[in-house]
Amino acid sequence: MTSGQPEFVTITIDGREHQVLSGEMLITAAEDSGTYIPRFCWHPRMTPVGMCRVCIVEVDTGRGPALIPACMNPVSDGMVVATQSDVTKKAQEAVLEFLLANHPLDCPVCDKGGECPLQDQALSHGPGESRFVEIKRNYEKPIPISDLVLLDRERCILCDRCTRFSREISGDPLIEFFDRGNKTQVNTFPDHPFASYFSGNTVQLCPVGALTAGPYRFRARPWDLLKVVSSSLFDTAHPRIEVHASQNEIVRYTGVDNDATNHGWLSDKARFGFEYIHSEDRLGAPLVRRKGVYEATDWAEAIDVAADRLGLIRDESGGDALAVIGGAHGTNEDAYALSKFARVALGTNNVDCRLGDSLSSHFLAGTVDRATIGQLDDADTILVWGPDLKEEHPTLYLRVRRAAQELGAELVVVHPRATGLDDVAFRKLTYRPGEGFDLVQALDDGRYPDVIEALDADNVVALIGIASHADGPHVAEAVAALVRARRGRSDLLPLNSRANTYGALDMGLAPDLLPGRVGVSQEGVGRLRDHWGEVPSVPGRDTAGILEGLISGEIRGLLLVGADPVRDFPIPALAEEALEAAEWVVAIDLFITDSTRHAEVILPAETFTEKEGTVTNVEGRVQKLNNIRPGPGQTRPDWAMLDDLAHRIGAPLGLSSAEAISKEISTVAPAYVGVSWDLLEWEARDGVVVPLEGESQLAHIPVAVATDGKRENGLSLHVARTMYDDGVRLRHSPSLSRLALGPVVLVNPLDATALDAVPGDSLRLVTVSGEGRFEMVVDEGTPAGTVYVPFNQPGATALGIDSAVEAEVADA
């Protein structure tokens, strides 16, 4: 990176002088100066290629005027540009006339109609009529090039946007130009569909409607859409999105170019994961179990039944006999209300928004030297030791990929198998699941000098999380301690799944945290007492401890809030046993799930498009969510239900609205002082990073703790999440649910040979926590000695977190 003040030059555009950045592309400099030059192929986030030629303008650099493409030529001092001259207009009209020569006139039935750059620029810069009278080119239409994207080839103007995105941004070059001359077309390779996790971006990028999205096709017209800006809750980076609704129904999400987070890009999960909102299975009324059967009831009865029993357990056995699991899928305001409800109404610190597969709460919420996403752009070295970013953190994946591919960062990737970043990594280290600490020790001992040299750079950003369920949280802490011990500046970005985990932790949804990144201690409780009154001062149980307490009977009552531990806890059998043993379970959720079906009362919740609030992402950035439609039936926001429950128990919370809760958060939570809705809506629309500083806040310093050593023999089991699984929201989103892998096990070819198995065979896998049958897939990206089972797949048996596994071909 260069330092110093930016250099400016003087150029003249249409007779007016402008000061612009030296080296900036003319098309950008002109737009920043108030002059729009038409374009199709140019995009500010991709390499200019000058494919469409519609941006040609008359430019004089001292050697006489000439027509040049504005997207390919940087400005220089003294440059004279004429965007309105007769020569420029005639050239642009000719280009548009050629582009329309074979373009079908099907605007009334094209999804792009009404928001089409070709329509707009044919009107503003085109000739008005065409001299071409020949029959236009025709192709079979549409071609489904993936499960989500369709291609109408005759509309394509060969702008290279989709192919460039796939090649430069996502690293999935699965769509390319075919044939030559007049027959050139965009398509996919035979038997290789456009199976990219980011394919939907090409639909938004396409300027002519050649690429359309299956879930949106023929659903609405742009001028009929109601739009609000929000954030995706399928991604811990919280990429900004625009939510589009027609006739009170969500029809699509589009990416918003937020420089702080997603640059406008979305994963397909974040882009198309809206169908669950309108699922027929959504809960629309409170349910109470009577004689083993759920019956719909009114709110008054549901609140009475749920609260009376919770209050009775508290009065008989104290707050330690009650617990709360969940809260990571809602807003900060909902999480704050839940934290306050647990401490004030239930009198318990047995509360956890994590589900046993995450780093420690103090590491996630309060680690020192916390990095921001933007720091990736300036990093000399980036270390990724954690989950496969492409599968679990797609926004971070794209930012890291850009830093390594375009900005010159040295990328070090450490993971038990192949990841989506391996092709741009400076160094890739692989280890067997469960042996991560041994690799940390080897690095500390200097066995990988090239990696250590990279980690000694002046500016290092480390993205650290749990790479495999077998690793547990201690390996990540050891990695963080190793990185911080190097000589350069090191900033950490601790990773965790579940979109608003960081906001929930900041609101105190952990057994050892209070709102504002304050630890449960006498000092923290004393400070909170002025706002909440008496609250428990001893740390409670985490999710695993809560489940064990339910089984032993020490915990009698449980409140589930948007959590499904039976499917999401690493050892589902333990969660199932715990919920079956629970004396009383109350659930707040969108659906009846494998976990909520154990509840005596289920209260229907609103999702994020149906309520206002804030969320906090992986870097601590607070952003605003905006509602666009009412929830179905009698659904309500979480905070309102919790306020009613607390009032019925006899410990009113005094919550009146989400905005009022936000104001209370800024008063109670030290880290959130000064963060208001007005600030986020009017002054800081990209959000505000909440700093890790101030009175009473945590300052967690990672410390290496040794774990079990190497396993000498046998196969190792790698269990990790994938983009598409059997999560509740995806299960009720038809366009995405069919993309889940199902019950499969990925095996190295050498291990497949040793097992005498061929692709498609059923393998029986056995661990100490369970056993199941899985369809074998031969995968060279899985190292020999390791078998990989994607977590929480439809029809799959959970195998737990132990790394030891036995495998054999199952009997037919």
Side-chain angles (χ1 to χ4, degrees), residues 662-673:
S662 180
K663 292 178 180 178
E664 184 174 328
I665 292 170
S666 68
T667 301
V668 174
Y672 283 71
V673 173

Side-chain angles (χ1 to χ4, degrees), residues 283 287 289 294 324-327 329 354-355 498 543 546-547 550 557-603 721 726-729 731-732 791-792:
L283 295 174
L287 301 178
R289 190 193 302 274
Y294 284 122
V324 175
I325 295 177
H329 289 298
R354 303 158 300 154
L355 290 180
R498 297 177 200 89
T543 296
I546 290 170
L547 297 177
L550 288 169
L558 176 67
L559 174 62
L560 288 172
V561 182
D564 186 11
V566 171
R567 299 306 302 267
D568 219 14
F569 189 71
I571 308 177
L574 177 66
E576 182 79 36
E577 182 182 358
L579 291 176
E580 288 180 354
E583 178 183 323
W584 188 252
V585 179
V586 176
I588 296 175
D589 215 311
L590 306 175
F591 300 94
I592 296 177
T593 68
D594 291 341
S595 296
T596 61
R597 67 179 68 256
H598 292 277
E600 300 301 318
V601 180
I602 306 178
L603 306 179
R721 296 180 182 273
D726 198 30
V728 176
R729 290 176 295 171
R731 192 184 310 155
H732 295 279
F791 181 69
N792 192 22

Side-chain angles (χ1 to χ4, degrees), residues 528-752:
L528 191 60
R529 189 177 293 118
D530 295 336
H531 304 280
W532 285 7
E534 292 298 326
V535 296
S537 59
V538 178
R541 298 174 183 243
D542 62 8
T543 296
I546 290 170
L547 297 177
E548 291 166 356
L550 288 169
I551 293 172
S552 68
E554 296 173 89
I555 295 179
R556 297 170 57 190
L558 176 67
L559 174 62
L560 288 172
V561 182
D564 186 11
V566 171
R567 299 306 302 267
D568 219 14
F569 189 71
I571 308 177
L574 177 66
E576 182 79 36
E577 182 182 358
L579 291 176
E580 288 180 354
E583 178 183 323
W584 188 252
V585 179
V586 176
I588 296 175
D589 215 311
L590 306 175
F591 300 94
I592 296 177
T593 68
D594 291 341
S595 296
T596 61
R597 67 179 68 256
H598 292 277
E600 300 301 318
V601 180
I602 306 178
L603 306 179
E606 292 178 345
T607 189
F608 80 104
T609 59
E610 299 157 358
K611 57 188 175 185
E612 288 191 286
T614 57
V615 289
T616 304
N617 76 353
V618 62
E619 62 180 343
R621 183 175 299 275
V622 183
Q623 299 180 103
K624 179 76 165 52
L625 302 181
N626 297 295
N627 68 320
I628 195 172
R629 66 184 293 273
Q634 302 179 49
T635 56
R636 302 173 67 193
D638 295 8
W639 66 263
M641 293 182 266
L642 294 167
D643 190 64
D644 282 354
L645 286 169
H647 189 273
R648 184 69 177 83
I649 288 174
L653 304 181
L655 308 178
S656 58
S657 69
E659 187 170 10
I661 296 172
S662 180
K663 292 178 180 178
E664 184 174 328
I665 292 170
S666 68
T667 301
V668 174
Y672 283 71
V673 173
V675 179
S676 67
W677 283 16
D678 285 343
L679 174 68
L680 297 175
E681 287 182 327
W682 301 105
E683 299 179 39
R685 295 190 177 186
D686 286 351
V688 175
V689 175
V690 180
L692 185 65
E693 57 188 30
E695 182 183 358
S696 303
Q697 289 192 58
L698 299 172
H700 180 72
I701 298 176
V703 176
V705 178
T707 59
D708 294 338
K710 293 184 177 181
R711 293 180 56 252
E712 297 298 331
N713 300 306
L715 294 172
S716 293
L717 175 64
H718 172 53
V719 177
R721 296 180 182 273
T722 56
M723 176 77 73
Y724 305 116
D725 58 17
D726 198 30
V728 176
R729 290 176 295 171
L730 288 188
R731 192 184 310 155
H732 295 279
S733 298
S735 295
L736 298 182
S737 61
R738 64 175 182 263
L739 302 180
L741 295 173
V744 299
V745 55
L746 281 67
V747 178
N748 184 274
L750 295 177
D751 292 324

